[in-house]
Amino acid sequence: MGSVPAEEAAALEFGGLVGDLREVYESGRTRDLEWRQSQLRGLVRLLEEKEEDIFDVLREDLGKHRGEAFRDEVGVLKKSVVDKLQNLKNWAAPEKAHTPLVAFPATALVVPEPLGVVLIFSCWNLPIGLALEPLSGALAAGNIVVVKPSELAPSTSAFLAANIPKYLDAKAVKVVEGGADVGEKLMEHRWDKVLFTGSSRVGRLIMTKAAKHLTPVALELGSKCPCIVDWLDSNRDSQVAVNRIIGAKWSTCSGQACIAIDYVLVEEEFAPTLIEMLKSTLKRFFTKPEFMARILNEKHFKRLKDLLADRRVAASVVHGGHLNPKTLSIEPTLLLNPPLDSDIMTEEIFGPLLPIITVKKIEDSIKFLKSKPKPLAIYAFTRNENLKSRIIEETSSGSVTFNDAIVQYGLDSIPFGGVGHSGFGQYHGKYSFEMFSHKKAVLKRSLLIEFMFRYPPWDESKIGMLRRVFRFDYVSLFFALIGLRR
């Protein structure tokens, strides 16, 4: 069996599961490059052959349209796995490292090796991508993997449990379904790495549990990702910016994404124009309700409803605000200058509500950002090179993207991850391989040459020799060794 059904998970002795997986890892099967490549090919087949099934479960869990599901999960994920297949041989090869002349003859290598048995907690908003992207990296690195899908996306969780054993090595890859209690039981055991994607609250619990076994942890957490919108030179540029803002807010799981735009910063003078362009473009983009995902469940719907229940916040709504509890849908909503101390401006929104905060000068946005926790991403639409430089140099975030938003998530050539309160650890592309690898240093020396000044009994002459070694003064060292002074 390659999966553990939810109804059995509570009674399962996870210690036995982890022990069995360690035996498989110790057998050495996952270290073979061909085995790793076969697992990646299996993931590609899964994405190709089960594409329609994936669309179905994402629609059931989140109301995602097949276009959004392909763009954000199936398509981008297949591209990433194929990239790993094409580059794995180079990534897994030992890298030569420099050795100083004084060590001659010697060679130094950095050898990537798998960590062992790793645990991946995925999140419900991108339930296919956030499970299979790190899984592909862990398998490429040669690890045994347990995936714990989110119970809040039950159809996707069941799909992964049923299909991963059919396409991957069922003895080396396990899917464990269940709720928070199952996650807690899994964390009672020793893992060689844990990756968790989700809320800061649960992330703290994961770290606390991991500390018992000194298990290394990577956390991908949420944050309030800001978007700076500067004056742009033309109506066309402004329209492109608005298109991309809408795509990064309402077209990605209805704003229920850790890298979605959380709020906009714009100059007072430009705010009315921006709002009108957002209104007209929203109307043009979302001509049918099914083009935007729904809110996950009643609990999250109520949380968003409560954000708007604050009278001060409700008074700031300039567009939208309609809520339908029967369909768990919320109209795209724009708010102009809601109170900065309100929940909507202090908590991650994770939904289709977009506050627009005005500043006197666009440069004031940098001071505003520096007063907040470090976000997962900062977005800025501007042609001002000085402003770009200041954002890069004066702020800290997991990533910075200029004149677009969210697309950095799909680039395999750059790392994805947070900093500070938004998490730590980086993956995607080669960085997924490296997240689940240990770079082992290997030094090989000959017994041919021996320098006795390395050893006691000490005298000033030996200390002088060491001084020459540490400043790489080989000419002086040579003369000293042969009894001459230079």
Side-chain angles (χ1 to χ4, degrees):
M1 294 292 290
S3 66
V4 182
E7 59 269 20
E8 298 178 14
L12 183 70
E13 176 51 57
F14 287 121
L17 172 67
V18 177
D20 291 344
L21 291 175
R22 290 205 177 279
E23 285 187 18
V24 176
Y25 177 72
E26 292 301 330
S27 73
R29 68 194 293 168
T30 66
R31 291 176 176 264
D32 182 71
L33 195 63
E34 175 54 38
W35 181 89
R36 305 185 199 188
Q37 293 169 332
S38 71
Q39 301 310 296
L40 295 177
R41 287 192 289 268
L43 282 176
V44 172
R45 290 197 306 274
L46 169 62
L47 293 169
E48 291 177 343
E49 296 174 9
K50 297 295 182 179
E51 182 178 281
E52 289 299 327
D53 292 343
I54 292 173
F55 292 160
D56 289 343
V57 297
L58 291 177
R59 184 172 60 253
E60 291 169 12
D61 284 334
L62 294 156
K64 287 189 179 185
H65 190 276
R66 58 190 287 118
E68 178 182 337
F70 180 80
R71 182 196 65 191
D72 294 351
E73 304 212 49
V74 177
V76 72
L77 182 58
K78 180 182 173 183
K79 171 189 65 68
S80 176
V81 178
V82 169
D83 176 71
K84 292 180 179 67
L85 261 173
Q86 293 173 341
N87 292 286
L88 179 57
K89 188 173 182 179
N90 290 333
W91 295 348
E95 298 178 26
K96 289 185 178 181
H98 170 73
T99 55
L101 182 61
V102 73
F104 178 85
T107 58
L109 300 172
V110 178
V111 180
E113 65 175 7
L115 294 174
V117 182
V118 303
L119 173 62
I120 295 171
F121 288 96
S122 65
C123 195
W124 54 263
N125 54 345
L126 294 167
I128 294 293
L130 293 177
L132 300 188
E133 168 58 37
L135 172 61
S136 68
L139 292 174
N143 295 281
I144 298 286
V145 189
V146 172
V147 177
K148 164 63 175 69
S150 172
E151 71 279 11
L152 299 179
S155 295
T156 307
S157 179
F159 168 83
L160 292 171
N163 286 282
I164 280 182
K166 299 176 183 178
Y167 288 87
L168 303 180
D169 185 339
K171 291 185 177 180
V173 184
K174 303 289 184 181
V175 178
V176 175
E177 294 188 86
D181 59 325
V182 171
E184 290 182 13
K185 289 178 180 178
L186 285 169
M187 287 303 299
E188 291 296 329
H189 302 281
R190 181 176 67 84
W191 304 90
D192 296 298
K193 185 85 176 237
V194 173
L195 168 63
F196 169 79
T197 302
S199 69
S200 299
R201 179 186 64 81
V202 180
R204 291 186 180 92
L205 297 176
I206 294 290
M207 287 195 69
T208 300
K209 292 279 189 180
K212 177 181 177 182
H213 299 288
L214 295 179
T215 299
V217 175
L219 298 180
E220 299 297 338
L221 309 175
S223 70
K224 293 182 73 65
C225 298
C227 177
I228 299 170
V229 182
D230 192 9
W231 280 97
L232 295 171
D233 296 339
S234 67
N235 289 335
R236 181 199 173 277
D237 289 351
S238 297
Q239 184 60 60
V240 170
V242 167
N243 295 345
R244 294 174 180 181
I245 289 169
I246 290 174
K249 180 60 178 182
W250 294 283
S251 179
T252 302
C253 202
S254 194
Q256 300 170 109
C258 57
I259 52 173
I261 293 173
D262 195 272
Y263 62 94
V264 166
L265 294 165
V266 64
E267 286 186 356
E268 291 176 353
E269 190 176 356
F270 186 49
T273 301
L274 176 63
I275 290 170
E276 290 306 312
M277 293 186 73
L278 285 168
K279 288 180 182 179
S280 61
T281 307
L282 282 166
K283 184 178 181 180
R284 191 168 72 251
F285 278 10
F286 298 106
T287 56
K288 295 181 180 180
E290 60 263 32
F291 289 167
M292 193 170 80
R294 70 166 192 275
I295 306 307
L296 173 67
N297 55 30
E298 292 181 359
K299 178 181 177 182
H300 281 263
F301 185 88
K302 182 180 183 302
R303 178 184 61 80
L304 292 165
K305 180 181 178 181
D306 289 346
L307 292 179
L308 295 176
D310 184 327
R311 291 183 179 180
R312 301 174 302 159
V313 172
S316 71
V317 173
V318 293
H319 176 76
H322 177 71
L323 299 88
N324 188 334
K326 292 183 179 180
T327 59
L328 295 179
S329 60
I330 298 177
E331 184 182 9
T333 301
L334 303 174
L335 307 96
L336 181 60
N337 287 322
L340 297 181
D341 63 348
S342 61
D343 288 345
I344 202 168
M345 286 307 298
T346 57
E347 299 177 5
E348 184 181 10
I349 295 173
F350 229 66
L353 317 177
L354 182 64
I356 298 172
I357 307 299
T358 60
V359 292
K360 293 291 184 182
K361 298 184 302 180
I362 199 64
E363 289 78 9
D364 295 340
S365 60
I366 294 176
K367 181 179 179 181
F368 186 93
L369 297 186
K370 291 172 71 174
S371 69
K372 306 296 180 183
K374 298 176 181 180
L376 185 57
I378 293 175
Y379 305 115
F381 290 86
T382 181
R383 289 186 177 275
N384 186 329
E385 295 300 326
N386 182 60
L387 179 61
K388 292 179 184 178
S389 296
R390 289 193 60 192
I391 292 171
I392 294 172
E393 294 170 5
E394 298 180 31
T395 68
S396 180
S397 58
S399 66
V400 178
T401 299
F402 294 109
N403 298 324
D404 212 331
I406 284 192
V407 293
Q408 79 279 4
Y409 179 86
L411 267 64
D412 298 316
S413 56
I414 58 177
F416 173 79
V419 59
H421 286 84
S422 56
F424 46 84
Q426 296 177 314
Y427 69 119
H428 286 199
K430 184 180 180 181
Y431 301 95
S432 292
F433 173 86
E434 292 181 344
M435 170 178 277
F436 294 104
S437 297
H438 166 61
K439 291 189 173 183
K440 180 164 61 178
V442 177
L443 177 65
K444 299 178 181 179
R445 287 206 66 203
S446 167
L447 297 173
L448 179 63
I449 298 174
E450 177 73 317
F451 294 120
M452 296 307 295
F453 58 78
R454 295 173 48 187
Y455 312 110
W458 300 113
D459 56 33
E460 288 303 317
S461 174
K462 289 185 177 180
I463 295 173
M465 297 282 194
L466 291 171
R467 291 187 191 279
R468 294 177 177 89
V469 168
F470 292 142
R471 62 176 183 253
F472 306 108
D473 186 356
Y474 297 133
V475 174
S476 177
L477 176 63
F478 173 75
F479 281 115
L481 287 171
I482 63 175
L484 300 176
R485 292 184 178 273
R486 183 174 181 270

